[in-house]
Amino acid sequence: MDNNAADTKKVTSYDDPDAPWNKEFSAEEMTGWNDDVITEFRENGGQVGGDYAGATLLLLTTTGAKSGKPHVVPLGALYRGDVLYVSSFIEDRYPAWYHNAKANPSVTIELGGEKFPARADVLTGERYDEFAAWALSENPLLADYQSKVDKPLPLVVLTREAA
């Protein structure tokens, strides 16, 4: 990955051709994509370069809903005041990490150089509606994407637990 943050620009639209999710990658390039990001994250105290340079990422470890095995995924760390939450662009189905968090809310978070246990609260009902209204008004990229899909975006609040 290119670690030169000067070569990156702020993505303001889901359809931005420079956004990582709109770039064309071969199957070979996609294999291990998350593995490379995870390795770089861990080797650099939570910092990564390339397409994610300057972004605040976290690593979320969930327990597989079906497999029972740990799964690690890099996600953008989002905040509402002091409340840490995550979301994700979705296509035809919700991501595995979302289903895993619903099935087993005990997760592990790596943020910066810190690793800690947390609880994943998958928002639903009125709580989802209120939080989504706020999140979409505060995050133009999420709002832009939500306007293009029928399913509501996944919203999960992450709360640190005592070690």
Side-chain angles (χ1 to χ4, degrees), residues 57-106:
L57 295 182
L58 62 78
L59 299 183
L60 178 68
T61 302
T62 59
T63 301
K66 294 180 184 176
S67 71
K69 296 179 181 176
H71 294 276
V72 180
V73 63
L75 295 167
L78 303 170
Y79 291 92
R80 180 179 187 181
D82 292 336
V83 176
L84 175 63
Y85 72 100
V86 290
S87 187
S88 182
F89 298 137
I90 54 175
E91 296 296 333
D92 58 337
R93 60 191 168 140
Y94 288 104
W97 67 262
Y98 178 78
H99 293 292
N100 294 345
K102 281 177 72 172
N104 184 350
S106 293

Side-chain angles (χ1 to χ4, degrees), residues 14 88-94 128-129 132 136 142-154:
Y14 176 75
S88 182
F89 298 137
I90 54 175
E91 296 296 333
D92 58 337
R93 60 191 168 140
Y94 288 104
Y128 177 90
D129 294 342
L136 296 175
L142 283 180
D144 182 42
Y145 185 74
Q146 182 65 84
S147 73
K148 294 170 174 46
V149 296
D150 294 329
K151 290 183 180 185
L153 291 172

Side-chain angles (χ1 to χ4, degrees), residues 8-109:
T8 62
K9 70 174 196 151
K10 185 164 178 66
V11 175
T12 58
S13 166
Y14 176 75
D15 296 324
D16 186 326
D18 292 327
W21 51 86
N22 288 327
K23 293 181 180 179
E24 298 254 350
F25 296 99
S26 68
E28 182 179 309
E29 289 172 312
M30 289 306 297
T31 301
W33 177 276
N34 279 349
D35 295 341
D36 291 345
V37 173
I38 291 165
T39 298
E40 185 177 1
F41 181 101
R42 288 177 172 159
E43 288 176 350
N44 296 299
Q47 300 298 312
V48 297
D51 290 324
Y52 302 106
T56 302
L57 295 182
L58 62 78
L59 299 183
L60 178 68
T61 302
T62 59
T63 301
K66 294 180 184 176
S67 71
K69 296 179 181 176
H71 294 276
V72 180
V73 63
L75 295 167
L78 303 170
Y79 291 92
R80 180 179 187 181
D82 292 336
V83 176
L84 175 63
Y85 72 100
V86 290
S87 187
S88 182
F89 298 137
I90 54 175
E91 296 296 333
D92 58 337
R93 60 191 168 140
Y94 288 104
W97 67 262
Y98 178 78
H99 293 292
N100 294 345
K102 281 177 72 172
N104 184 350
S106 293
V107 299
T108 301
I109 296 172

